[in-house]
Amino acid sequence: VIDNVISGSLHSIRSLLLSRSLLVVYKEMAMFITSQLARGPFDVASKVGLQILLEPQASSVIFRAACGTAGIIYPVYCSFRALENNDPKAKANRDDDEQWLTYWAMYGLFTLVEHTTDNILKHIPYYYHLKFGFLVWLMAPNTKGAHVLYQKAVRPVLRRFQPKLDIIESKVATFAGGVYSVYKVPIDAAVGVVSYGLSQASSGVKWFLSNDAGSADGKTKTQFIKGA
């Protein structure tokens, strides 16, 4: 009897998923959860907030911003603290260095996969919810997801192909050095022009936003803009 019930339930779920899009199913799940919570002792703000978080289109903006905060801003600050800890004998400092170096390696790999499969991932409802949870798992000191992912999946593959990857890296570096030696003069000239242009643009913006009537050499704003 139990087997028949389970089989019938799985068949019903499969029919539902095949007959409707995943987005419709997720919306119905969200409506069901909010309707159940409406019976409990929750205030209006909590109900509305939860309903927004469970709505794929509305909550994707919130969780996309949360992914940027959790995946980049917070790790950047933690990496800054690890780099500024100048005590090389402190075990905690070595652990922080290893943790955040591993995290950035796994985050870069994840970003590469994400950009490669962007056309598929953007059609998945609640993708940014899942991404947010994955990033928290990667960086959390309790889970150490980046370390687990590196040790279990990435490290064995890289160690297997390390000799060939080292050869490729050496050839690419040699090729890049050869290209630079051949085109050294135009490359240096282009870099110099870009650097000069950026410095002049930065100086111009700072001067324009300042309260001074003229530039440092006594030019008026009109003369400075015209380059006189």
Side-chain angles (χ1 to χ4, degrees):
V1 176
I2 296 176
D3 292 339
N4 292 333
V5 172
I6 295 175
S7 177
S9 301
L10 292 177
H11 179 73
S12 300
I13 294 173
R14 181 174 179 273
S15 300
L16 177 63
L17 292 177
L18 292 176
S19 60
R20 302 184 182 184
S21 66
L22 284 175
L23 184 58
V24 174
V25 175
Y26 283 131
K27 285 184 176 180
E28 291 184 355
M29 290 174 57
M31 293 176 61
F32 173 76
I33 293 174
T34 52
S35 65
Q36 294 298 315
L37 291 175
R39 303 176 181 178
F42 299 97
D43 56 15
V44 177
S46 299
K47 296 175 185 177
V48 174
L50 183 60
Q51 192 168 8
I52 292 175
L53 290 179
L54 292 175
E55 174 64 28
Q57 285 82 5
S59 60
S60 63
V61 178
I62 299 174
F63 276 90
R64 190 169 188 174
C67 288
T69 303
I72 300 177
I73 298 178
Y74 178 73
V76 164
Y77 178 70
C78 291
S79 301
F80 160 76
R81 289 194 309 179
L83 292 172
E84 291 299 313
N85 190 349
N86 297 322
D87 186 4
K89 297 181 180 179
K91 183 179 183 300
N93 184 37
R94 295 195 299 271
D95 292 342
D96 286 344
D97 292 346
E98 181 180 356
Q99 176 187 354
W100 293 112
L101 179 62
T102 307
Y103 170 79
W104 286 117
M106 296 303 98
Y107 181 82
L109 181 61
F110 169 73
T111 303
L112 176 63
V113 174
E114 184 181 37
H115 286 318
T116 305
T117 59
D118 179 67
N119 291 330
I120 299 175
L121 295 177
K122 67 182 181 182
H123 297 294
I124 300 178
Y126 296 104
Y127 167 69
Y128 287 104
H129 298 64
L130 299 174
K131 179 181 177 180
F132 177 75
F134 176 72
L135 293 176
V136 172
W137 176 76
L138 276 183
M139 75 178 68
N142 295 332
T143 59
K144 294 184 178 180
H147 180 77
V148 173
L149 183 62
Y150 172 74
Q151 292 291 336
K152 298 295 184 181
V154 178
R155 185 172 182 267
V157 175
L158 291 180
R159 287 183 64 87
R160 178 182 177 184
F161 296 101
Q162 183 176 4
K164 294 182 179 179
L165 292 175
D166 289 341
I167 293 175
I168 294 174
E169 187 272 336
S170 178
K171 290 184 177 181
V172 170
T174 302
F175 175 77
V179 171
Y180 176 74
S181 62
V182 173
Y183 299 99
K184 183 177 184 303
V185 174
I187 290 176
D188 290 345
V191 172
V193 169
V194 172
S195 299
Y196 177 77
L198 290 176
S199 72
Q200 290 299 306
S202 176
S203 300
V205 170
K206 291 179 180 178
W207 171 83
F208 187 82
L209 296 177
S210 66
N211 295 325
D212 297 337
S215 61
D217 56 359
K219 295 180 181 180
T220 63
K221 283 187 177 182
T222 303
Q223 292 173 329
F224 185 87
I225 294 174
K226 292 182 178 179

